[in-house]
């Protein structure tokens, strides 16, 4: 199979799996929101936010490091996998104990405490997650199958066992078991093909893995403040029900940025392979950025206009209090695509320290702004703090990207702005003014984005071919 065909297949398989994951996630969180109510949903969101920090101590930055190393030298795989297995299992043991101890120390209501403790399964699941191996091999169909399995098992358990607010514990079981089942299946597949990766406990080898991973881990830790610290602060400063409202809004944000995850996974090996050749770095960065701008900003601006209708349609009138926060989060989604356009290449080009500094700056801003805004403004303040903080991150990454590549992609940025306004914002406002429902308006947005993208050349079929397919190596 040619390089072009393989990357095309990877993008398609990832997109299909991401689509399935989005559908499963949509069904899952809408079902949980309607079955449990805002307060119980808020407690699940609080538990997920809390456990994410302990999951991070297991993940660190090992996935990105592993993909980077193996994509450059396939022979490194058999050296890295056993040592990484041993290191992650060791980290998971400590993180699980610490998470359970923290949950007990919080002195939650017994039912809430039990549900949060069940989420320890996510720490264990992360320790045995080795989909990065298949990403490095550019076997994205396997990565896609793992992701779809995790979300499918989760939603199946939730639909079967969560029927009313008293089923909070079963909701936590669903969230923990789905990823665990998927990761065990992937581990079994790897074992069948390459043998069981017997854990190795070699401190020197661990140090070799930790050195490049820790800056990425620090960046990921700060990133958690964007995704989760606001929920923890809402729980501490406001009310659990507000956490539930914010979680519902955040799930729609997650849908808006999901395509960016597909593009990151598909393009990361290509970006990594360009390292060391500035012309190649610029070209791969342009291709990656072009596709990012063709999808993200139009979707984000349209979502900001349609936010009240979307939240009511999906979660019910009980969640309309999250409409303003959702508008802000949609704008944040558009900025996320810009940030990733400049940030992902930094990781691929061995500049994780600059990436870390940018994220750290945004993280500090996020904490300060959350403390200042959540108490008086609740979930709207949390969303505003997140948007402002991402602006700090984007500027930092853009400055460093320009130094490495010599460009800030002005042509791509300019065309992207035109498509965002003409294909996303304008048709959404027109649909709203005409009183169209959400689905016809979204169809109008899609058509307008395609037309404006074609007129500007941003989504011309030939442009997309260059953006999505690499030349034969």
């Amino acid at each position: 199979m040619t390089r072009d065909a393989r990357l095309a297949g990877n993008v398609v398989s990832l997109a299909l799996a991401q689509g399935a994951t989005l559908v499963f996630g949509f069904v899952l969180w809408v079902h949980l929101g309607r079955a449990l109510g805002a307060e119980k949903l808020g407690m699940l969101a609080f538990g997920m936010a809390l456990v994410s920090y302990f999951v991070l101590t297991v993940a660190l930055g090992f996935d990105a490091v592993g993909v980077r190393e193996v994509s450059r030298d396939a022979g490194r795989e058999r050296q890295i996998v056993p040592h990484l297995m041993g290191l992650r299992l060791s980290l998971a043991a400590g993180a699980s104990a610490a998470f359970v101890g923290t949950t007990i120390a919080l002195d939650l209501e017994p039912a809430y405490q039990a549900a949060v403790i069940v989420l320890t399964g996510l720490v264990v699941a992360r320790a045995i997650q080795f989909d990065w191996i298949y990403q490095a091999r550019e076997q994205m169909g396997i990565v896609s199958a793992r992701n779809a399995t995790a979300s499918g098992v989760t939603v199946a358990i939730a639909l079967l066992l969560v029927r009313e607010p008293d089923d909070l514990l079963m909701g936590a079981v669903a969230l923990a078991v789905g990823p665990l089942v998927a990761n065990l299946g992937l581990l079994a597949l790897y074992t069948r093909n390459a043998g069981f990766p017997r854990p190795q406990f070699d401190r020197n080898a661990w140090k070799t893995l930790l050195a490049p991973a820790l800056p990425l881990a620090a960046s990921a830790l700060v990133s958690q403040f964007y995704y989760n610290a606001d929920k923890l602060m809402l729980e501490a400063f406001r009310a659990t029900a507000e956490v539930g409202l914010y979680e519902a809004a955040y799930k729609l944000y997650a849908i808006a940025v999901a395509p960016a995850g597909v593009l990151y996974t598909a393009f990361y090996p290509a970006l990594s392979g360009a390292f060391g050749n500035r012309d190649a770095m610029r070209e791969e960065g342009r291709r990656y950025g072009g596709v990012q701008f063709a999808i993200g900003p139009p979707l984000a601006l349209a979502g900001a206009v349609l936010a009240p209708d979307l939240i009511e349609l999906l979660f019910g009138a009980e969640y309309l209090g999250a409409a303003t926060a959702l508008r802000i989060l949609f704008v944040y989604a558009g900025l996320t695509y810009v940030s990733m356009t400049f940030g992902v290449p930094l990781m691929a080009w061995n500049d994780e320290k600059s990436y870390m500094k940018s994220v750290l700056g945004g993280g500090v801003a996020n904490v300060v702004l959350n403390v200042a805004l959540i108490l008086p403004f609740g979930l709207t303040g949390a969303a505003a703090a997140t948007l402002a903080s991402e602006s700090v991150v984007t500027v930092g990454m853009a400055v460093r990207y320009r130094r490495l590549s010599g460009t800030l992609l002005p042509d791509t940025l300019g065309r992207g702005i035109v498509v965002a306004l003409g294909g996303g914002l304008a048709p959404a406002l027109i649909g709203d003014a005409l009183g169209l429902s959400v689905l016809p308006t979204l169809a109008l947005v899609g058509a307008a984005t395609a037309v404006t993208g074609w007129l500007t050349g941003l989504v011309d079929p030939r442009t997309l071919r260059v953006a999505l397919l690499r030349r034969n190596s």
Side-chain angles (χ1 to χ4, degrees):
M1 180 182 295
T2 67
R3 190 70 166 171
D4 286 3
R6 182 161 65 251
L7 184 56
N10 288 339
V11 171
V12 170
S13 64
L14 285 169
L16 291 174
Q18 188 66 44
T21 300
L22 283 175
V23 171
F24 289 142
F26 164 78
V27 173
L28 171 68
W29 287 100
V30 169
H31 175 71
L32 290 176
R34 290 180 175 271
L36 297 177
E39 182 171 348
K40 297 292 179 66
L41 183 68
M43 182 48 59
L44 267 187
F46 168 76
M48 292 290 285
L50 183 62
V51 77
S52 69
Y53 293 97
F54 297 86
V55 170
L56 182 60
T57 65
V58 177
L60 292 179
F62 296 132
D63 286 358
V65 172
V67 171
R68 194 170 70 192
E69 294 300 318
V70 174
S71 65
R72 295 174 186 170
D73 180 3
R76 292 274 289 151
E77 179 182 317
R78 290 188 176 275
Q79 300 172 19
I80 293 175
V81 173
H83 293 297
L84 191 52
M85 173 71 89
L87 179 53
R88 277 186 158 166
L89 289 175
S90 300
L91 292 171
S96 297
F99 176 66
V100 172
T102 300
T103 303
I104 293 172
L106 290 174
D107 195 27
L108 302 171
E109 294 181 21
Y112 288 177
Q113 186 179 86
V116 174
I117 287 176
V118 165
L119 296 177
T120 308
L122 292 171
V123 179
V124 178
R126 194 65 179 90
I128 59 172
Q129 183 173 330
F130 282 90
D131 54 346
W132 65 268
I133 299 169
Y134 297 97
Q135 184 184 349
R137 296 177 181 175
E138 298 189 64
Q139 295 177 326
M140 302 304 182
I142 296 175
V143 178
S144 301
R146 180 266 161 200
N147 295 340
T149 299
S151 55
V153 171
T154 300
V155 73
I157 295 174
L159 290 174
L160 287 172
L161 301 180
V162 181
R163 301 287 185 177
E164 57 188 26
D166 289 341
D167 294 330
L168 174 65
L169 181 63
M170 292 299 100
V173 168
L175 292 171
V177 170
L180 187 60
V181 169
N183 291 346
L184 285 171
L186 194 58
L187 181 60
L189 176 65
Y190 183 84
T191 298
R192 187 183 70 181
N193 295 332
F196 181 74
R198 181 178 298 177
Q200 299 292 316
F201 300 90
D202 184 331
R203 292 184 180 180
N204 290 328
W206 288 1
K207 289 178 182 179
T208 301
L209 291 169
L210 283 167
L214 286 178
L216 295 174
S219 302
L221 176 62
V222 177
S223 295
Q224 292 298 328
F225 285 103
Y226 294 119
Y227 301 120
N228 295 318
D230 40 15
K231 298 166 191 174
L232 299 179
M233 291 185 187
L234 280 170
E235 172 67 22
F237 298 155
R238 302 283 290 198
T240 303
E242 285 198 48
V243 183
L245 293 175
Y246 192 69
E247 180 70 4
Y250 219 92
K251 291 306 174 188
L252 290 173
Y253 157 81
I255 291 174
V257 299
V262 173
L263 297 176
Y264 160 73
T265 304
F267 277 84
Y268 189 78
L271 289 164
S272 297
F275 178 64
N277 182 331
R278 201 177 198 199
D279 289 339
M281 291 163 63
R282 292 179 62 152
E283 182 63 13
E284 293 296 346
R286 184 187 65 79
R287 294 173 181 177
Y288 174 59
V291 184
Q292 288 274 89
F293 273 84
I295 298 173
L299 178 64
L301 292 184
V305 174
L306 300 173
D309 294 334
L310 285 168
I311 198 77
E312 183 176 14
L313 174 67
L314 300 180
F315 288 90
E318 179 185 359
Y319 291 86
L320 270 174
T324 301
L326 179 57
R327 289 186 192 274
I328 297 171
L329 289 176
F330 268 119
V331 177
Y332 166 46
L335 190 58
T336 298
Y337 281 85
V338 181
S339 177
M340 290 185 69
T341 295
F342 298 126
V344 170
L346 298 186
M347 291 189 291
W349 299 338
N350 289 29
D351 199 16
E352 56 268 7
K353 290 185 179 179
S354 294
Y355 183 93
M356 176 190 69
K357 291 176 182 177
S358 297
V359 175
L360 182 60
V364 171
N366 187 261
V367 173
V368 172
L369 291 171
N370 270 322
V371 171
L373 298 178
I374 284 179
L375 187 59
F377 301 111
L379 62 157
T380 300
T386 301
L387 175 60
S389 303
E390 186 68 12
S391 301
V392 174
V393 174
T394 303
V395 170
M397 290 181 174
V399 169
R400 186 57 183 169
Y401 181 93
R402 187 179 186 280
R403 289 178 182 173
L404 287 177
S405 67
T407 181
L408 270 179
L409 306 173
D411 182 62
T412 301
L413 287 169
R415 295 182 185 190
I417 291 171
V418 172
V419 174
L421 295 176
L425 182 61
L429 289 172
I430 292 171
D432 186 60
L434 294 176
L436 299 179
S437 60
V438 172
L439 294 181
T441 302
L442 288 176
L444 180 62
V445 167
T449 297
V451 171
T452 55
W454 176 74
L455 291 175
T456 61
L458 187 65
V459 291
D460 182 82
R462 291 170 297 178
T463 302
L464 287 179
R465 178 175 177 79
V466 171
L468 293 177
L469 305 179
R470 296 183 65 185
R471 298 181 186 275
N472 293 342
S473 57

